[in-house]
């Protein structure tokens, strides 16, 4: 049975509401632009929350736009830069599922089609409204016969399509949930990477803070091995807002606390500490999921680097923190999680790795003992793994082996690598 993916456009495939953005372009020089912007946003939100009909919202917004075809060109250019990050990095998924990935939106084909087709989404799988123009190219309305212009339009459209298979809906608004309510789709995933609406999330089968999460829970091919929204990033102490923002923007599940509470020790994946914050040895010993610690200052005396090394935790600090900007350490932490880089680490060999493309990167942290690389490569050889590139660096008792392989492999390979004697920690990155 085929899987079909019904994907919303505004605030889902893209980070923004396109009509709101079009208004900012078309009304840029209008004396009452701020008042009109707010009216358009109000129409959008009321419809997304199910408080007014979709047609009432659509008509109200289009009438306020004062837009023409030249404004649409500018809009498309902007929207291409505003594709949601998790959709942008999963372009390969749409290539592999081009026959069953559908964009279904109350927006308009005139701006949706040029934005989504570079992602291998076929034109015949784009369902949206269309504008009406006058002879001068001004938008004067829309095709009111299109089912997507009406209340419950997505439900009406899906009934017409009669798709034979398992259907999954992904979106941020009430009209997306209506597909689940109608019984036409198997599961509804509330997409919250850009906006979270309580009236929608409380009715969803699953809340998906990223497209990676959707692919992960459905065991579908994806660009990254593990959704970053599932990795807890704990920020403790006096940490500038820009550092918090960077890690949130990268997709991590961020918690900001005044102290490192024991209840977080078993689940924390990244730990960013303000200057003067101490982590007890007992906490480090229990932090089995912790991958990296960032310290805004000199870590000496505040975090036991020996325990971190024994557990495969990469430590970054910045003795010159007060002279640098606050982005330095969070960027180092993110680069380690995303790419495996250990550049300027206090306890790991320093590696800056090439960007990972169309491969899997296997990160093997081990005790630096004779013969371990022979064991690692024996696993690859016995499983006929094609190695693209390999990097090895050591620092004292620590060894860090990075191997990029082609995407086809048996999952038993990972198990074998983890069981090699003197393995400390093993991770896999997808691209």
């Amino acid at each position: 049975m085929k899987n079909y993916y019904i994907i919303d456009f505004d605030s889902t495939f893209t980070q923004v509401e396109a009509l709101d953005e079009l208004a900012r372009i078309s009304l840029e020089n209008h004396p009452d632009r701020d008042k009109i912007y707010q009216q358009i946003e109000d129409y959008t939100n009321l419809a997304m929350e199910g408080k007014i009909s979709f047609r009432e919202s659509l008509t109200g917004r289009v009438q306020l736009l004062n837009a023409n075809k030249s404004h649409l060109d500018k809009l498309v250019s902007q929207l291409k830069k505003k594709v949601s990050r998790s959709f942008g990095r999963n372009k390969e998924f749409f290539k592999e599922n081009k026959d069953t990935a559908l964009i279904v939106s109350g927006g308009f084909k005139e701006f949706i089609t040029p934005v989504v087709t570079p992602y291998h989404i076929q034109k015949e799988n784009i369902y949206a409204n269309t504008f009406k123009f006058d002879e001068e190219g001004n938008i004067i309305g829309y095709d009111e016969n299109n089912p997507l212009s009406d209340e419950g339009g997505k439900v009406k459209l899906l009934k017409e399509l009669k798709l034979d298979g398992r259907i999954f809906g992904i979106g941020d608004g009430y009209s997306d949930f209506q597909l689940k309510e109608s019984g036409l789709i198997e599961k509804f995933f509330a997409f919250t990477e850009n906006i979270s609406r309580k009236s929608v999330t409380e009715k969803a089968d699953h809340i998906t803070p990223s497209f990676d999460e959707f692919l992960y829970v459905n065991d579908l091919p994806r660009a990254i091995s593990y959704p970053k929204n599932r990795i807890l990033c704990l920020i403790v102490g006096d940490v500038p807002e820009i550092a918090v923002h960077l890690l949130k923007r990268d997709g991590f599940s961020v918690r900001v606390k005044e102290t490192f509470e024991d209840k977080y020790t078993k689940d924390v994946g990244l730990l960013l500490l303000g200057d003067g914050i101490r982590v007890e040895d007992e906490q480090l010993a229990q932090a089995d999921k912790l991958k990296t610690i960032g310290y805004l200052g000199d870590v000496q005396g505040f975090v036991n680097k020996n325990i971190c090394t024994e557990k495969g935790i990469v430590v970054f600090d910045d003795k010159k923190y007060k002279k640098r900007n606050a982005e330095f350490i969070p960027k180092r932490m993110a680069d380690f999680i995303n790419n495996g880089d250990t550049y300027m680490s206090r306890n790991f060999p320093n590696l800056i790795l090439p960007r990972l493309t169309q491969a899997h990167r296997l990160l093997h942290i081990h005790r630096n003992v004779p013969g371990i690389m022979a064991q690692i490569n024996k696993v690859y050889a016995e499983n006929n793994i094609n190695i693209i590139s390999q990097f090895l660096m050591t620092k004292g008792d620590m060894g860090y082996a990075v191997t990029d392989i082609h995407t086809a492999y048996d999952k038993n390979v990972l198990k074998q690598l983890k069981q090699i004697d003197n393995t400390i920690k093993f991770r896999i990155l997808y691209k």
Side-chain angles (χ1 to χ4, degrees):
M1 185 178 287
K2 283 185 178 180
N3 285 351
Y4 287 91
Y5 308 100
I6 308 299
I7 302 167
D8 184 37
F9 182 76
D10 294 293
S11 296
T12 299
F13 195 92
T14 58
Q15 301 169 26
V16 294
E17 292 288 326
L19 287 185
D20 294 357
E21 296 303 302
L22 179 57
R24 287 178 173 81
I25 294 169
S26 64
L27 299 168
E28 184 179 8
N29 298 315
H30 196 288
D32 294 325
R33 59 183 179 275
D34 291 337
K35 179 181 178 182
I36 300 174
Y37 292 161
Q38 190 59 55
Q39 287 178 299
I40 290 174
E41 285 185 13
D42 290 345
Y43 273 125
T44 300
N45 291 325
L46 288 170
M48 290 297 103
E49 294 167 6
K51 294 178 179 177
I52 63 173
S53 73
F54 181 77
R55 174 157 287 189
E56 184 180 352
S57 169
L58 186 64
T59 301
R61 285 179 288 166
V62 170
Q63 287 176 346
L64 290 167
L65 282 174
N66 193 30
N68 57 48
K69 288 183 178 179
S70 67
H71 295 136
L72 289 174
D73 293 337
K74 292 180 181 178
L75 174 65
V76 168
S77 179
Q78 286 192 17
L79 292 178
K80 286 182 175 181
K81 300 172 186 175
K82 295 284 187 178
V83 171
S84 296
R85 288 171 174 265
S86 61
F87 278 97
R89 62 177 163 259
N90 282 289
K91 203 171 187 178
E92 194 65 23
F93 172 83
F94 294 104
K95 185 177 181 179
E96 295 174 6
N97 295 274
K98 60 183 179 181
D99 294 329
T100 56
L102 285 65
I103 298 293
V104 178
S105 171
F108 290 82
K109 283 188 178 182
E110 285 84 358
F111 54 74
I112 293 176
T113 300
V115 173
V116 303
T117 48
Y119 290 81
H120 310 289
I121 294 171
Q122 300 184 88
K123 288 183 179 180
E124 57 267 32
N125 285 345
I126 301 169
Y127 296 91
N129 286 298
T130 53
F131 285 121
K132 287 182 178 179
F133 300 92
D134 64 16
E135 293 179 356
E136 284 76 40
N138 298 309
I139 295 172
I140 56 173
Y142 57 89
D143 179 8
E144 296 183 6
N145 295 318
N146 188 323
L148 289 168
S149 70
D150 205 356
E151 179 65 21
K154 293 186 179 183
V155 173
K156 294 175 183 177
L157 175 71
L158 231 60
K159 285 180 178 178
E160 291 178 7
L161 293 178
K162 297 179 180 178
L163 301 176
D164 184 18
R166 300 171 69 217
I167 307 174
F168 300 93
I170 310 162
D172 66 287
Y174 182 74
S175 63
D176 303 299
F177 165 71
Q178 286 178 321
L179 292 173
K180 172 66 177 180
E181 199 173 37
S182 70
L184 290 170
I185 64 174
E186 185 164 314
K187 283 187 178 181
F188 168 58
F189 293 80
F191 187 81
T192 60
E193 183 172 328
N194 304 307
I195 189 168
S196 179
R197 295 181 171 93
K198 186 178 179 182
S199 60
V200 177
T201 57
E202 63 187 8
K203 297 175 181 177
D205 292 301
H206 189 86
I207 297 171
T208 178
S210 67
F211 193 54
D212 307 301
E213 171 76 5
F214 169 80
L215 298 174
Y216 178 80
V217 298
N218 290 296
D219 197 24
L220 295 166
R222 55 196 179 274
I224 60 176
S225 52
Y226 192 71
K228 284 187 279 186
N229 57 268
R230 287 177 173 248
I231 301 175
L232 174 61
C233 175
L234 189 63
I235 296 177
V236 182
D238 184 15
V239 175
E241 184 59 36
I242 184 60
V244 179
H245 169 74
L246 283 172
L247 293 166
K248 282 184 178 179
R249 188 183 67 179
D250 213 312
F252 299 108
S253 178
V254 175
R255 302 285 186 279
V256 180
K257 297 292 178 180
E258 293 183 4
T259 59
F260 184 12
E261 300 169 33
D262 287 343
K263 67 179 180 179
Y264 292 109
T265 53
K266 292 183 179 179
D267 294 319
V268 64
L270 291 85
L271 183 59
L272 177 59
L273 304 172
D275 200 6
I277 298 296
R278 184 184 306 277
V279 178
E280 302 299 331
D281 291 357
E282 293 79 9
Q283 292 176 308
L284 284 177
Q286 296 178 51
D288 294 332
K289 293 182 180 179
L290 186 56
K291 299 169 181 65
T292 180
I293 293 175
Y295 197 87
L296 300 182
D298 186 349
V299 77
Q300 189 68 34
F302 294 98
V303 176
N304 190 321
K305 295 197 298 293
N306 292 330
I307 294 177
C308 289
T309 302
E310 289 170 7
K311 293 183 70 68
I313 301 166
V314 183
V315 178
F316 299 96
D317 73 350
D318 189 359
K319 295 179 182 179
K320 298 179 180 179
Y321 164 62
K322 293 181 180 179
K323 295 182 181 180
R324 299 191 213 247
N325 63 47
E327 300 177 15
F328 181 74
I329 291 299
K331 282 184 176 179
R332 298 281 79 75
M333 297 169 71
D335 284 345
F336 172 66
I337 297 296
N338 297 334
N339 203 54
D341 294 355
T342 54
Y343 174 61
M344 296 191 75
S345 161
R346 284 297 299 273
N347 64 329
F348 261 56
N350 277 274
L351 267 180
I352 300 177
L353 298 163
R355 292 292 105 180
L356 185 59
T357 56
Q358 300 302 312
H360 290 173
R361 176 164 288 169
L362 310 185
L363 311 177
H364 193 277
I365 302 168
H366 53 265
R367 293 181 182 85
N368 185 21
V369 298
I372 196 162
M373 281 306 297
Q375 294 181 64
I376 290 172
N377 286 328
K378 182 181 178 182
V379 171
Y380 293 137
E382 289 178 346
N383 288 276
N384 297 313
I385 298 297
N386 185 14
I387 295 176
I388 300 171
S389 57
Q390 192 168 51
F391 310 85
L392 170 66
M393 287 195 74
T394 61
K395 183 174 182 178
D397 296 332
M398 164 68 62
Y400 185 41
V402 179
T403 308
D404 291 350
I405 67 173
H406 281 302
T407 54
Y409 68 92
D410 190 308
K411 289 186 178 180
N412 192 46
V413 172
L414 309 184
K415 184 178 179 181
Q416 292 176 43
L417 289 167
K418 292 176 183 178
Q419 291 176 341
I420 291 174
D421 289 342
N422 293 298
T423 297
I424 295 173
K425 194 167 279 186
F426 177 84
R427 289 176 59 215
I428 181 168
L429 306 178
Y430 294 179
K431 281 292 179 185

